């Protein structure tokens, strides 16, 4: 039982998860009232290991329906709240400690569930995409999953789920994309089959069409992906909820494919952008993608407009079910803004965005070079007073006691065609003996 006095049941559906099951049952064990594993046909040691870890193991025959399996798992739970994460997902220890407090607050506010961050990890353990999920929810007969695949929680009575927001404070980490390409391809084939079954019963389901586009795109079938994303958009209603993440992904995926395609598709990209902004005006990813597109084409003014619009939306509306791509690529946004502001002569903005970038990643040669070119328009042939001012500016970003930092600054000055300033830096930052040893 958790510190809140509320019983939390952890449950999951599994199949052949012997590589993940021990971690899956370890990360939250200290706060769980019970742990329930529903096996859907494992042929490896998953069941054996789960029982060894103390979990209650139930069996459910696989019927090509993720919701049916998850709803069965929910029905085995005796807790007041349920934590239903997949076997390839986990929470960090510091977040596990916070979770009981959030549940206590949700009880006080009579909420149904909790939105958290959802971080997808690549093969190197790095985050490549961020989103949100509801994996912690109240154990009520009214709350169940729907759909065979890409299942979603809903209230069977038709009312909307009342959700708490911990997207910025708590995260679930997903390692499912770290498997071998063959396994991913096999899952994709299974997914397509289940999506088509859903579409047979619900031929107007634009969300399922979007998911089909996702699978085609991940398999490299770009033309087919474009077709499904177009079809999904055609079937969307005239109004969407602000937090409609699925529709946002459909628009962003289609925009990325169109802007990365032939020139004949670029006009369509602009049309899709305008429709996307009309239906989901708070979504920052649309402007981020268009900003990136215009930057690559060399249309710097348009790029700055869209990228700054994206930043405004991100700051105003946040990233709860929004800005999945932009939130995971903020440094790219600042990098593009530095380049495009420099091209358009917007020097103050170039410096502002450049400093923001370098505070996170100070060893980016291209960004620092553009800053130096902005500060030293004469190529470094400036007065001693001007050189001292630039040196003072750099001292706020770099550690002059660090050899790496000092060498980087001199190299950046040379790469920026500011050789005179580079010579000045060498004389100020290095002793005569150091200059001789380093060949400066």
């Amino acid at each position: 039982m958790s510190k809140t006095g509320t019983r939390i049941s952890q449950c999951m559906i599994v199949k052949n998860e012997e590589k993940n099951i021990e971690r899956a049952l370890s990360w939250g064990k200290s706060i769980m009232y019970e742990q329930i594993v529903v096996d859907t046909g494992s042929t490896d040691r998953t069941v054996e290991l789960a029982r060894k870890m103390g979990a209650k193991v139930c069996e459910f025959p696989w019927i090509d329906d993720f919701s049916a399996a998850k709803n069965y798992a929910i029905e085995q739970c005796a807790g007041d709240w349920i934590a239903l994460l997949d076997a390839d997902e986990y929470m960090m220890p510091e977040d596990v400690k916070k979770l009981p407090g959030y549940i206590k607050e949700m009880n006080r506010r009579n909420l149904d569930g909790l939105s958290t961050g959802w971080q997808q990890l690549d093969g190197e353990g790095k985050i490549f995409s961020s989103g949100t999920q509801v994996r912690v929810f109240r154990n009520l007969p009214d709350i169940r999953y729907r759909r065979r695949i890409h299942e979603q929680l809903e209230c069977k009575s038709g009312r909307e789920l009342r959700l708490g927001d911990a997207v910025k404070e708590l995260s679930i980490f997903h390692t499912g994309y770290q498997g071998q390409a063959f396994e991913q391809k096999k899952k994709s084939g299974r997914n397509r089959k289940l999506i088509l079954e859903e579409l047979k019963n619900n031929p107007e389901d634009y969300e399922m069409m979007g998911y089909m586009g996702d699978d085609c795109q991940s398999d490299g079938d770009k033309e087919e992906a474009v077709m499904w994303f177009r079809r999904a958009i055609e079937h969307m209603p005239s109004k969407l909820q602000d937090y409609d993440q699925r529709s946002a992904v459909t628009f962003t995926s289609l925009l990325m494919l169109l802007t990365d395609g032939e020139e004949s598709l670029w006009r369509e990209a602009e049309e899709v952008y305008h429709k996307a902004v009309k239906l989901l005006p708070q979504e920052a990813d649309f402007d981020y993608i268009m900003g990136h597109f215009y930057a690559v084409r060399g249309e710097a003014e348009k790029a700055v407009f869209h990228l700054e619009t994206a930043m405004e939306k991100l700051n105003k509306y946040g990233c709860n079910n929004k800005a999945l791509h932009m939130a995971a690529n903020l440094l790219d946004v600042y990098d593009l803004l530095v380049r495009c502001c420099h091209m358009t002569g917007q020097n103050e903005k170039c410096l502002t965005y450049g400093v923001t970038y370098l505070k996170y990643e100070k060893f980016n040669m291209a960004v620092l070079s553009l800053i130096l070119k902005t500060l030293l328009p004469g190529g470094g042939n400036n007065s001693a007073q001007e050189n001292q001012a630039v040196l003072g500016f750099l001292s706020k970003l770099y550690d002059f006691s660090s050899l790496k930092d000092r060498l980087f600054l001199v190299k950046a000055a040379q790469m920026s065609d500011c050789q005179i300033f580079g010579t000045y830096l060498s004389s100020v930052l290095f002793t005569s003996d150091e200059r001789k040893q380093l060949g400066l």
Side-chain angles (χ1 to χ4, degrees):
M1 186 176 296
S2 74
K3 296 177 182 178
T4 64
T6 301
R7 299 179 302 176
I8 308 173
S9 295
Q10 181 186 10
C11 66
M12 66 190 76
I13 64 170
V14 300
K15 182 178 180 181
N16 293 335
E17 293 285 359
E18 65 178 13
K19 293 182 179 179
N20 295 315
I21 192 66
E22 290 178 299
R23 182 181 62 192
L25 291 170
S26 297
W27 66 260
K29 193 174 184 67
S30 63
I31 65 168
M32 299 302 171
Y33 168 71
E34 62 181 355
Q35 293 180 301
I36 296 170
V37 172
V38 173
D39 187 73
T40 61
S42 293
T43 55
D44 62 4
R45 298 178 61 227
T46 299
V47 170
E48 173 193 342
L49 293 172
R51 287 185 173 134
K52 185 177 179 181
M53 294 284 293
K56 175 184 175 183
V57 178
C58 305
E59 302 208 0
F60 183 81
W62 181 243
I63 55 174
D64 285 343
D65 191 327
F66 282 94
S67 285
K70 287 188 175 182
N71 289 336
Y72 175 81
I74 291 172
E75 288 159 7
Q76 312 312 306
C77 296
D80 308 295
W81 283 78
I82 292 171
L84 203 165
L85 278 68
D86 293 338
D88 57 5
E89 296 175 328
Y90 63 92
M91 295 179 74
M92 299 296 286
E94 54 269 27
D95 286 355
V96 174
K97 292 177 182 178
K98 297 176 186 176
L99 188 57
Y102 277 95
I103 288 178
K104 181 178 180 180
E105 177 63 14
M106 288 192 292
N107 279 331
R108 186 186 69 79
R109 296 171 57 194
N110 194 31
L111 299 177
D112 298 311
L114 184 66
S115 291
T116 69
W118 191 53
Q119 317 299 337
Q120 300 196 51
L121 306 179
D122 61 19
E124 298 178 354
K126 297 179 180 179
I127 296 173
F128 73 89
S129 179
S130 300
T132 63
Q133 290 286 339
V134 179
R135 299 300 183 83
V136 179
F137 52 92
R138 199 183 291 271
N139 189 1
L140 296 175
D142 186 41
I143 299 178
R144 291 293 185 270
Y145 283 94
R146 68 181 178 92
R147 289 186 178 147
R148 292 176 178 85
I149 190 169
H150 299 299
E151 56 283 3
Q152 292 181 344
L153 275 178
E154 67 172 5
C155 290
K156 294 192 296 183
S157 63
R159 70 174 177 85
E160 287 190 16
L161 286 170
R162 299 182 295 267
L163 301 176
D165 181 3
V167 172
K168 294 182 179 179
E169 292 79 18
L170 303 178
S171 281
I172 293 169
F173 292 89
H174 177 228
T175 63
Y177 291 96
Q178 296 179 352
Q180 296 181 353
F182 174 75
E183 288 298 318
Q184 296 304 319
K185 190 78 173 178
K186 191 165 65 173
K187 284 184 179 180
S188 179
R190 175 206 63 194
N191 291 355
R192 291 200 195 189
K193 174 186 174 184
L194 297 183
I195 291 171
L196 289 174
E197 286 296 319
E198 279 291 315
L199 286 170
K200 281 183 183 178
N201 296 331
N202 302 287
E204 303 297 313
D205 191 336
Y206 62 93
E207 293 187 338
M208 281 290 106
M209 297 173 191
Y211 285 122
M212 180 64 86
D214 290 348
D215 270 45
C216 295
Q217 186 177 13
S218 66
D219 286 346
D221 300 334
K222 292 185 178 181
E223 290 186 7
E224 191 170 355
V226 168
M227 179 198 73
W228 280 106
F229 289 137
R230 285 172 176 161
R231 189 178 298 180
I233 291 171
E234 289 171 2
H235 285 80
M236 286 180 184
S238 57
K239 290 186 178 180
L240 296 173
Q241 293 183 344
D242 290 336
Y243 292 90
D244 189 338
Q245 188 181 77
R246 175 59 257 173
S247 295
V249 170
T250 294
F251 276 118
T252 54
S253 296
L254 181 56
L255 282 172
M256 291 171 73
L257 288 169
L258 294 175
T259 55
D260 192 44
E262 300 295 326
E263 187 173 350
S264 59
L265 298 175
W266 293 354
R267 183 175 295 277
E268 182 185 352
E270 293 177 338
E271 293 173 357
V272 170
Y273 164 78
H274 289 298
K275 184 169 185 177
V277 170
K278 182 179 179 180
L279 288 176
L280 294 168
Q282 298 180 7
E283 177 55 65
D285 272 349
F286 307 150
D287 283 285
Y288 167 50
I289 293 168
M290 295 305 291
H292 191 282
F293 168 61
Y294 286 121
V296 171
R297 288 180 62 183
E299 298 185 50
E301 288 189 5
K302 286 185 178 180
V304 171
F305 169 78
H306 283 287
L307 293 168
E308 289 187 332
T309 300
M311 291 294 295
E312 289 172 6
K313 290 182 179 181
L314 181 65
N315 292 333
K316 185 174 182 179
Y317 302 114
C319 56
N320 182 3
N321 282 339
K322 297 183 180 71
L324 303 186
H325 292 280
M326 185 175 176
N329 294 281
L330 271 177
L331 282 180
D332 180 55
V333 179
Y334 284 113
D335 179 54
L336 291 171
L337 282 167
V338 172
R339 296 169 188 269
C340 292
C341 286
H342 180 75
M343 288 175 63
T344 55
Q346 300 178 70
N347 292 338
E348 288 189 13
K349 287 185 176 181
C350 178
L351 293 176
T352 299
Y353 293 129
V355 168
T356 301
Y357 184 102
L358 293 175
K359 284 181 178 178
Y360 291 96
E361 179 50 73
K362 65 180 181 180
F363 294 116
N364 184 300
M365 184 69 72
V367 171
L368 180 57
S369 294
L370 290 178
I371 287 179
L372 291 175
K373 287 180 179 181
T374 302
L375 292 171
L376 302 165
N381 190 16
N382 303 291
S383 67
Q385 187 177 1
E386 289 172 325
N387 284 339
Q388 289 173 2
V390 176
L391 185 67
F393 177 89
L394 295 174
S395 69
K396 298 176 182 178
L397 297 169
Y398 294 91
D399 179 6
F400 290 171
S401 67
S402 165
L403 178 61
K404 180 179 180 181
D405 283 26
R406 287 181 286 154
L407 285 172
F408 179 75
L409 289 174
V410 173
K411 183 68 174 178
Q414 294 171 344
M415 294 289 289
S416 309
D417 295 326
C418 299
Q419 285 86 354
I420 296 176
F421 182 69
T423 301
Y424 167 76
L425 284 178
S426 297
S427 66
V428 173
L429 299 179
F430 294 90
T431 66
S432 57
D433 288 340
E434 288 176 326
R435 290 197 295 274
K436 288 179 181 179
Q437 291 176 0
L438 297 169
L440 298 175

